[in-house]
């Protein structure tokens, strides 16, 4: 009886350690780890951090950095299947990654082919019946069907296929920060909409003042030269 319990315990320990050994790290995509700064991500991608674009400045700073892995007129390198990667930052911290795979590299591949490949990196996939927002703007509802999902309590990776160009893509994000950033985006867009009339009025006033200034300068030049 004691020998049976010893063997059973040994088998259980092996199973547990095996499970831990194959636990997948979802805290980063390739070398890009969630929580990295704009400068760190830009350096890894070979970009200038100043090329990061500000999406919203309030209530919190939201930025994005687009990386064209190689130009559209360049041959796709065999070592890289990604065509474009968009990095989203909340208060300077990387929280979301949107990858668009190159059509030439995925030509002929099925969704199951990509799921199989991604599963070797991120573990067993789920296939939830749901959609995911691809765009970084709340007002532009670019919703795509999730083909497969890999996630844990902290991170989520979602494979999709665009209904427009039929390109495969992957959306990965840190759940806690993504939730906060989404709320911040919604509030920023609410404020933008609320203040839009005042901004338009100010823009028109500035345009009229600039035109009046140009007219006055032209008058000062042309009046002395005019011959009736």
């Amino acid at each position: 009886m004691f020998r049976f319990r010893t063997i059973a315990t040994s088998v259980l320990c092996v199973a547990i350690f095996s499970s831990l050994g194959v636990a997948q790290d979802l805290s980063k995509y390739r070398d890009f780890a969630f929580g990295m700064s704009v400068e760190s991500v830009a350096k890894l991608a070979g970009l200038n951090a100043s090329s990061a674009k500000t999406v919203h400045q309030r209530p919190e700073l939201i930025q994005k950095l687009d990386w064209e892995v190689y130009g559209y007129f360049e041959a796709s390198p065999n070592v890289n299947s990604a065509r474009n990667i968009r990095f989203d930052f909340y208060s300077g911290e990387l929280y979301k990654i949107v990858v668009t795979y190159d059509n030439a590299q995925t030509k002929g591949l099925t969704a199951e082919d990509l799921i199989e490949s991604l599963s070797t990196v991120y573990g067993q996939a789920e296939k939830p019946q749901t959609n995911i927002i691809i765009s970084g703007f709340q007002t532009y509802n670019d919703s795509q069907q999730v083909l497969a999902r890999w996630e844990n309590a902290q991170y989520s990776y979602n494979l999709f296929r665009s209904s427009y160009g039929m390109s495969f893509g992957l959306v990965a994000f840190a759940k806690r920060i993504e939730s906060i950033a989404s709320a911040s985006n919604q509030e920023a867009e609410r404020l933008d909409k609320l203040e839009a009339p005042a901004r338009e009025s100010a823009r028109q006033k500035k345009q009229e003042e600039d035109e009046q200034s140009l007219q006055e300068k032209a008058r000062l030049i042309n009046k002395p030269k005019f011959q009736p």
Side-chain angles (χ1 to χ4, degrees), residues 33-220:
F34 291 111
M36 290 178 70
S37 66
V38 175
E39 292 75 17
S40 297
V41 171
K43 184 177 180 180
L44 268 178
L47 300 172
N48 193 322
S50 63
S51 61
K53 297 179 180 178
T54 298
V55 179
H56 296 297
Q57 290 185 312
R58 45 60 186 285
E60 295 293 341
L61 178 63
I62 304 289
Q63 297 167 285
K64 69 172 184 174
L65 183 65
D66 284 303
W67 180 27
E68 295 293 338
V69 181
Y70 49 93
Y72 280 97
F73 297 103
E74 298 177 28
S76 173
N78 292 329
V79 295
N80 205 331
S81 299
R83 166 68 72 177
N84 172 276
I85 302 179
R86 191 190 87 217
F87 303 96
D88 291 351
F89 301 86
Y90 174 80
S91 293
E93 184 176 345
L94 178 65
Y95 76 93
K96 191 173 187 177
I97 301 171
V98 181
V99 182
T100 301
Y101 293 111
D102 179 46
N103 283 336
Q105 291 283 344
T106 58
K107 185 177 182 179
L109 297 182
T110 64
E112 290 301 325
D113 291 330
L114 269 74
I115 293 170
E116 180 182 349
S117 179
L118 287 162
S119 293
T120 63
V121 180
Y122 301 117
Q124 185 174 356
E126 299 176 357
K127 294 183 178 180
Q129 298 297 312
T130 186
N131 286 16
I132 191 166
I133 302 295
I134 309 301
S135 171
F137 299 92
Q138 298 293 326
T139 52
Y140 179 52
N141 188 13
D142 181 15
S143 177
Q144 301 295 334
Q145 181 183 357
V146 174
L147 301 177
R149 173 175 288 169
W150 299 260
E151 67 177 358
N152 57 23
Q154 294 176 292
Y155 308 103
S156 180
Y157 286 68
N158 300 267
L159 178 68
F160 69 93
R161 188 166 194 171
S162 172
S163 57
Y164 306 110
M166 296 305 292
S167 299
F168 284 105
L170 184 72
V171 179
F173 56 87
K175 291 182 177 180
R176 182 184 66 82
I177 304 178
E178 200 278 337
S179 177
I180 299 171
S182 179
S184 181
N185 268 322
Q186 290 180 15
E187 177 62 11
E189 291 176 10
R190 185 189 71 82
L191 292 173
D192 286 345
K193 186 176 181 180
L194 186 67
E195 298 168 1
R199 286 199 306 271
E200 178 59 21
S201 178
R203 186 195 67 79
Q204 290 181 0
K205 182 179 179 181
K206 178 65 165 55
Q207 186 177 19
E208 290 170 0
E209 289 174 348
D210 289 344
E211 179 63 26
Q212 185 177 352
S213 177
L214 288 173
Q215 290 287 348
E216 187 60 30
K217 289 178 181 178
R219 177 175 178 270
L220 292 174

